[in-house]
Amino acid sequence: MERPVSTARPSHQRAGLRDFRLLWWANAADGVGSQASGAVLPLLLLGLGNSPQVVGLIAGVSTALGLVLGPLVAVPVDRGARKRVMLGSAVVAALAMGCVALALATGRPPLGLVLAAVLVERFATACFEAAARGTVALVCPGPEQPRAVSRLAAADQGALITGPALGGVLYQAARAFPFLADALSYVVSAVCVGAMRTDLTATAPAERGESLLREGAAGLRLVRSSPLLRLVLVWSATVNLVVVALYYQAVFTLQRGGHGGAVLGAVLAASGAAGLAGALAAPRVAGRLGAARVVTGVTWLLVPLAAALATATGAWAYGLLFSLVCLLMPLASVLLQARALQVTALALQARTGAVLATATTGTAAVAPVLSGALADRVSTAAPAVACGVAMALLAVHTSRRPVRDVLAARATA
């Protein structure tokens, strides 16, 4: 008599699936809380009597802090401290935002207290993000990683939609509520990370005798030596610059057209929903068309969309075009992120991810400056024209035979 074939998953796969769900909830809670508090932080600072210049300075310093800390924190993370860093970072961030909420509930907090809490929270968030980058590869087997990256990207897009709206509603009720919600979101993240059972320790030993700087540069050396990782860096950095620049052009164009914040909010909500749909559809589209066709096709499709935004003036037209940009971008970005995970050794996941994240975040920080300068000195259409040119150059690059061969090659973990 034949023994029936069992369809149950092995215990390690069930544990990995459970831990990925915990990771998803940790990231989703963190994203919603951070967006809720981040959306109203400028309003709080302005309401406390600070100038727009001070608000911009705080935003710039916190972004720069994350860029500097990410690659350095990645070294102990890759040495095996991933779970401890994630757990400790979530606790510290919760305490920082809790202090802001308490100070607002009891009176008018001084700028120094708010600034210190924001920088501490940014420091902790940078540490958490650096540690979380390699976690997907540890809890998910290679074939499941594209779907895992897609779900994490969808959570990020969902946070962009729900977080600011939640923050606005809570801020109307009481100034302290958005920061209390952010603190609670970090508590949720800490509980989820603490409940994970997978061994999150890197498999390779520490590089003895090497300086912290040289160990931190290991990810950069890997990116330089890998054609696929170089493509991921160039594509992600360029497209991130374009999307952020187009967003700020939307702000400039709609404001000069006499549209208020409600119209801009509707445009952002539509684009966020489109990005969510694109992230969820990315694995299926990549499975049907293949990596080379998806990346090259998406890049070429973004060229006319960016150019069309240069001539758009109405809110409906701008909302539709920008939503199409946000729909298409995740189709390729999710695929590239998953391939980057698959070609990077487990002991280099955090450091390599830090290099890629620094490039994309750096271009995102530069984009508003470039968009504003072009809009002021040339015209409001100039940022979209420049973005169209940048996307055309990137499309030509992705169409080259060596690049297509790299995308078509089978990924190995």
Side-chain angles (χ1 to χ4, degrees), residues 75-101:
V75 175
V77 166
D78 277 338
R79 285 179 175 178
R82 179 172 278 106
K83 188 172 183 177
R84 294 195 300 273
V85 169
M86 293 174 69
L87 187 58
S89 299
V91 171
V92 169
L95 292 174
M97 289 296 98
C99 288
V100 174

Side-chain angles (χ1 to χ4, degrees), residues 22-238:
L22 289 170
L23 176 65
W24 188 92
W25 279 108
N27 279 275
D30 178 21
V32 172
S34 296
Q35 290 295 328
S37 63
V40 300
L41 179 61
L43 298 178
L44 171 65
L45 294 173
L46 292 172
L48 293 175
N50 300 291
S51 67
Q53 184 176 3
V54 172
V55 175
L57 179 62
I58 293 175
V61 170
S62 63
T63 301
L65 184 63
L67 289 175
V68 172
L69 289 175
L72 296 178
V73 175
V75 175
V77 166
D78 277 338
R79 285 179 175 178
R82 179 172 278 106
K83 188 172 183 177
R84 294 195 300 273
V85 169
M86 293 174 69
L87 187 58
S89 299
V91 171
V92 169
L95 292 174
M97 289 296 98
C99 288
V100 174
L102 180 61
L104 288 171
T106 56
R108 183 184 179 90
L111 175 62
L113 174 63
V114 176
L115 178 59
V118 168
L119 293 181
V120 168
E121 188 263 351
R122 182 62 254 180
F123 170 82
T125 301
C127 295
F128 186 93
E129 292 173 349
R133 288 185 190 111
T135 308
V136 174
L138 291 167
V139 300
C140 292
E144 296 295 324
Q145 288 172 10
R147 184 176 299 178
V149 173
S150 169
R151 291 177 179 177
L152 290 172
D156 291 340
Q157 291 293 331
L160 290 174
I161 301 172
T162 60
L166 176 64
V169 171
L170 293 176
Y171 192 77
Q172 287 293 109
R175 294 187 306 172
F177 282 176
F179 303 96
L180 177 60
D182 195 12
L184 293 176
S185 74
Y186 284 118
V187 173
V188 173
S189 296
V191 171
C192 290
V193 171
M196 295 175 69
R197 299 173 183 171
T198 303
D199 182 10
L200 302 181
T201 305
T203 56
E207 294 88 341
R208 298 184 181 278
E210 290 194 353
S211 65
L212 178 64
L213 184 60
R214 180 167 177 78
E215 284 195 63
L220 178 59
R221 293 195 296 270
L222 178 60
V223 172
R224 291 178 59 185
S225 64
S226 170
L228 176 63
L229 293 178
R230 290 201 304 269
L231 172 64
V232 174
L233 186 146
V234 171
W235 196 94
S236 301
T238 303

